[in-house]
Amino acid sequence: MALAQDLITPAAPASGIVPEKVRDGIDLEINGEHYRHTGDPQMPLLWFLRDVLRLTGTKYAGETGADLVLLNDKAVSAITLPMAKLADKSVTTVEGLAANDGGLHPVQQAFIDEDAIGCGYCTPGWLIAAVDLLKRKPHPGDDDLDQLPNLCRCGCQTRVRRAIKRAAAGKADQV
Ligand code: FES
């Protein structure tokens, strides 16, 4: 009889063990595709992008802005953003800027045209920041460019600024 009672009412877990409820998952969209994250809700988005999805364009380098992604069209740091805050949100990484047919985004083309890429480590962050800026300010001035949270350790800032202005002027397809 005592054995049957044990089956109905399981013993409490040993002290110090806290049972965790099964996670339902966090649904979000990345570059137009639907994903469900069922791991740790505190995992930074950058880890999910790089280690789970193998989207390695976004980098671990906050001081250069290379960790920027678009969250609902606004540039944010993927390092500081936990997956828990991304339910039903839409994220665009540098891999998602080009058109479905492979055509480059005008800002990407402008970076090529202005030779604004050195080693390339910071470039994804600049592209994301520029897309965000041009949405908010189609014709940014030098003050607006000064506010961007990006840094190029290869010293490409001058060419980057020219590229963003070129994209703003709609001259990305001109040589
Ligand atoms: Fe090398 Fe910017 S191109 S850090």
Side-chain angles (χ1 to χ4, degrees), residues 65 67-77 92-94 97 105-108 111 123-140 144-145 147-150 164 167-168:
D67 62 318
L68 293 178
V69 297
L70 294 171
L71 173 62
N72 291 359
D73 290 332
K74 187 174 181 340
V76 296
S77 162
T92 302
T93 70
V94 68
L97 290 183
H105 187 285
V107 175
Q108 291 175 307
F111 270 62
T123 309
W126 281 111
L127 293 171
I128 293 289
V131 169
D132 173 30
L133 174 64
L134 294 178
K135 268 206 173 106
R136 290 182 286 112
K137 287 216 165 185
H139 299 288
D144 301 309
L145 296 173
Q147 302 299 319
L148 293 179
N150 306 72
I164 296 173

Side-chain angles (χ1 to χ4, degrees), residues 117-123 126 151-154 156:
I117 305 165
C119 74
Y121 198 88
C122 69
T123 309
W126 281 111
L151 176 71
C152 177
R153 294 198 181 280
C154 293
C156 297

Side-chain angles (χ1 to χ4, degrees), residues 24-47:
D24 295 329
I26 295 163
D27 290 292
L28 73 159
E29 192 178 279
I30 297 177
N31 297 338
E33 301 281 339
H34 171 259
Y35 295 95
R36 174 168 292 165
H37 173 62
T38 56
D40 184 351
Q42 293 310 312
M43 174 191 273
L45 172 61
L46 185 67
W47 272 227

